[in-house]
Amino acid sequence: MTAVIPDHRPGSGTASGPAAVAGAVDGARRAQPDWEALGFSGRKKALDAWRVLILRRTEELVALIREETGKTADDARLEVVLVADHLRWAAAHAGRVLGRRRVSSGLLMFNQSATVEYRPLGVVGVIGPWNYPAFIPIGPVAAALAAGNTVVLKPSELTPRVGAWLAATLAEAAPGPEVLRIVTGDGDTGAALCRAAVDKVSFTGSSATGRRVMAACAENLTPVVIEGGGKDAMIVAADADLEAAADAAVWAAMSNAGQTCVGLERVYVVDGVADRFLDLVTERAAALRTGERPDADLGRIVLPRQVEVIRSHVQDAVARGARVLLGGPRSISAPYVAPVVLAEVPEDSTALTEETFGPVLVVNRVSGVDEAVARTNASAYGLGASVYTRDRAQGRRIAARLRTGMVSVNAVIAFAGIPALPFGGTGDSGFGRVHGPDGLREFSRSQAVTTQRFRPLMQPNSFGRHPDTMRTLVRMVRALHGRRALSGGPSPRRGLPHGERTT
Ligand code: NDP
C-alpha cells in the first residue's frame, strides 16, 4: 500500500499560502493538549509507528525526494536512514531528558524538595530547506513532537510533496487530530508562519533568510532556532592518513552535488603532504559521474539561481590566480555541475568567504596546524569541521581550538549521523541546536518546582523573622562557602543526567 500524498485538499492537514497559516496553527493548537496528554510513552508509541511506516515505504519516499530534488537514489536513501534513526532517538529519549527529576536543594534550602521538568511550548513552526527535504525538518519535528508540542511545517517551495508525505504518513500511523500540519508556499508563507501565533520557530536555510526570519519573529518576541549556512573546512595534518582524508574530502564536498550545509568547501593541508593529498583528491573527484545517467554520483543543482553563484565563485578564484586541478568554469552546464578542485585560492576570494553550495573544493596549503586553525576560524560561518591526523589526542586538541558547533576527527560529517549529539553552529551559521538532548530541550520550557517538606527553623523569607536570623545565616554561609575549596570542587562526572559522560 502506498501513502496518499494530499495535494492541499481541505481537511488533509496540508494547506497552501500565507492565508492558510493561521488556520494550520489554529488546528495544531487545538490538537496539542491531547497530544501532550499522551505522555512520553504514548507519544513514543505513535512516533515509533510512524518510523516503522516510513521504513516500510523507503523506496516511495526515495522516489519522491528524487523527483523533487534530482538527487541520486543512494543520496536519497541516506536521508531516509537518517530520518529513521533520529526519529527513533527522539522518541526513545524524550522522557529521560525532559521528564521530572529531583535536584539537590542545597543546605540552605534543605527543607524543600526541588524538581525540574521540561514542558512543551505549544505549537512549533518549522521552516525547512530543499537540500535534505526529509532529514533536515525531521530533526526539529521529531524533537518538538516527542516533547509534546504540535508542529506546523513549511517545506521549501521546491519540495512541498516530501513535507506532505511526512505529514500523511504520520496521520496514517497515528490516527487522530493531526499533530503535524503542512503549509506549502514560498518565502511569504514562511514569513507568515514567523508572524503567526506559534510558540517557537525552527528555521533551516541560508543565513540571509535567517536574518529575515529573526526580524519577523522579533515582532511577537517569538524565540527562534537558526540553522544557517556553512563554509566547513578540513584540516589535514602532516601525519594524516592521506588516502582516508582524500576519500572523505571528495565525498563530503561532492555528495548531494555539494548541496549540504555541512558539506566540505575548504581544505587546509600541511605543506609537506599537500602535493600527494592534491593528487589523491583530484584522481578521486575525476572519477565521479555527473548528470541524468542512472549510475551518476552527482545529480543536478536544485536551485537554478545557485548555478550562477557557483559559476561566479569559480570564475572569481580563477581570475585571481587559483590553480585549477579539475574542471573549472567549463564544468558548469545547468542544471549540472561536475566536480571542481581548485588550489592556491586567495583567502579573500568568494570561493573561500561565501557558501558555494556546489561540488567545488578549494585546497590550500598551510605551513602547519596553527595556520590551518587560524584560517578555519577566520570564516564568518562556524558550522562543522573535520581534522585528519593519526594522533587522535592531537585531533581532539585541534578540535577544541575550532570556532564551530561540530567537529569530526578522522571522519567527515559523522556528528550529523549521531542522533545523541547536538547539531548547530555559531556566527553566521546561526544558533540554537537540533538533535540530542539539547535539541529536545530547545522545544521545551524548563519548569522548576519546589515543595516545602517541613517548616524551617529559621524563616528568612518572612517579615516575622527573628532579629538575629540574617546574621546567623551570614555566619553559616561564611562557614560553609567563605573559603576557597582546596580541591577542584565536585567531580564533573557527577550530576550529569541522561547518561552523558565526561571523557
Ligand atoms: P533559503 O534560506 O532560501 O530558504 C529556507 C526556507 O525559508 C525555505 O522554506 C524558504 O521558502 C523559506 N523562506 C524564504 N524566505 C523566507 C522569509 N522571508 N521568511 C520565512 N521563510 C522564508 O534556503 P534554501 O532552501 O535555499 O536552503 C539552502 C540553505 O540552507 C543553504 O544556505 C544551506 O547551507 C542552508 N542549510 C543549513 C543547514 C543547517 O542545519 N545549518 C542544513 C541545510 C541547509 P522557499 O524555499 O519556498 O522560498
Side-chain angles (χ1 to χ4, degrees), residues 262-296:
V262 285
L264 183 67
E265 303 214 349
R266 313 178 278 160
V267 177
Y268 295 114
V269 54
V270 169
D271 203 10
V273 295
D275 289 336
R276 174 82 185 122
F277 179 77
L278 276 166
D279 286 348
L280 290 167
V281 164
T282 309
E283 185 189 314
R284 281 169 167 74
L288 299 178
R289 296 154 297 217
T290 308
E292 219 42 273
R293 46 196 288 187
D295 63 348

Side-chain angles (χ1 to χ4, degrees), residues 27-376:
R29 177 80 57 203
R30 282 197 304 275
Q32 195 273 332
D34 285 349
W35 179 246
E36 181 178 354
L38 286 179
F40 292 114
S41 62
R43 293 194 294 272
K44 179 178 183 305
K45 212 179 275 176
L47 295 175
D48 285 350
W50 187 23
R51 183 192 74 239
V52 169
L53 189 61
I54 289 172
L55 283 174
R56 210 177 290 151
R57 303 216 182 123
T58 297
E59 288 308 309
E60 186 183 311
L61 181 54
V62 165
L64 204 51
I65 292 171
R66 296 194 68 200
E67 199 180 294
E68 292 197 318
T69 66
K71 65 174 71 179
T72 66
D74 279 349
D75 283 345
R77 284 190 191 108
L78 180 60
E79 262 205 73
V80 180
V81 167
L82 291 169
V83 163
D85 206 24
H86 281 71
L87 200 46
R88 181 203 59 77
W89 192 92
H93 294 267
R96 201 160 49 82
V97 175
L98 305 176
R100 186 180 308 148
R101 73 187 147 86
R102 280 182 84 115
V103 299
S104 160
S105 47
L107 275 178
L108 290 178
M109 291 287 183
F110 77 105
N111 65 315
Q112 307 282 335
S113 85
T115 60
V116 61
E117 67 185 297
Y118 293 81
R119 309 196 60 83
L121 299 170
V123 179
V124 172
V126 175
I127 300 174
W130 45 263
N131 58 339
Y132 288 86
F135 172 52
I136 300 271
I138 212 72
V141 165
L145 289 175
N149 306 278
T150 52
V151 175
V152 176
L153 166 65
K154 206 295 277 178
S156 165
E157 63 188 309
L158 300 174
T159 56
R161 298 182 78 227
V162 171
W165 189 93
L166 291 173
T169 45
L170 174 55
E172 188 181 328
E178 279 146 0
V179 296
L180 171 61
R181 285 159 189 265
I182 307 295
V183 275
T184 59
D186 60 12
D188 289 345
T189 307
L193 185 56
C194 295
R195 294 191 169 91
V198 291
D199 300 291
K200 187 151 191 171
V201 168
S202 175
F203 165 83
T204 305
S206 63
S207 306
T209 309
R211 288 184 170 85
R212 287 196 284 277
V213 164
M214 205 172 160
C217 286
E219 291 175 19
N220 294 324
L221 224 58
T222 302
V224 282
V225 177
I226 303 286
E227 295 290 346
K231 192 77 194 171
D232 288 9
M234 173 189 283
I235 294 175
V236 182
D239 68 341
D241 177 341
L242 295 182
E243 298 261 352
D247 189 63
V250 171
W251 184 81
M254 311 293 173
S255 63
N256 211 33
Q259 303 161 108
T260 302
C261 55
V262 285
L264 183 67
E265 303 214 349
R266 313 178 278 160
V267 177
Y268 295 114
V269 54
V270 169
D271 203 10
V273 295
D275 289 336
R276 174 82 185 122
F277 179 77
L278 276 166
D279 286 348
L280 290 167
V281 164
T282 309
E283 185 189 314
R284 281 169 167 74
L288 299 178
R289 296 154 297 217
T290 308
E292 219 42 273
R293 46 196 288 187
D295 63 348
D297 302 293
L298 279 74
R300 67 181 152 89
I301 301 300
V302 183
L303 193 63
R305 66 172 182 273
Q306 196 64 30
V307 176
E308 292 319 309
V309 174
I310 298 168
R311 192 193 309 277
S312 77
H313 288 188
V314 174
Q315 280 174 342
D316 182 54
V318 172
R320 301 181 60 193
R323 196 150 61 93
V324 180
L325 293 166
L326 181 68
R330 69 184 160 82
S331 306
I332 301 165
S333 167
Y336 296 101
V337 178
V340 178
V341 180
L342 304 170
E344 286 137 45
V345 177
E347 286 291 319
D348 60 352
S349 76
T350 50
L352 278 173
T353 57
E354 294 174 14
E355 187 180 38
T356 306
F357 224 53
V360 178
L361 183 60
V362 172
V363 183
N364 275 354
R365 58 184 77 216
V366 287
S367 56
V369 160
D370 289 347
E371 189 184 351
V373 169
R375 290 196 189 193
T376 300

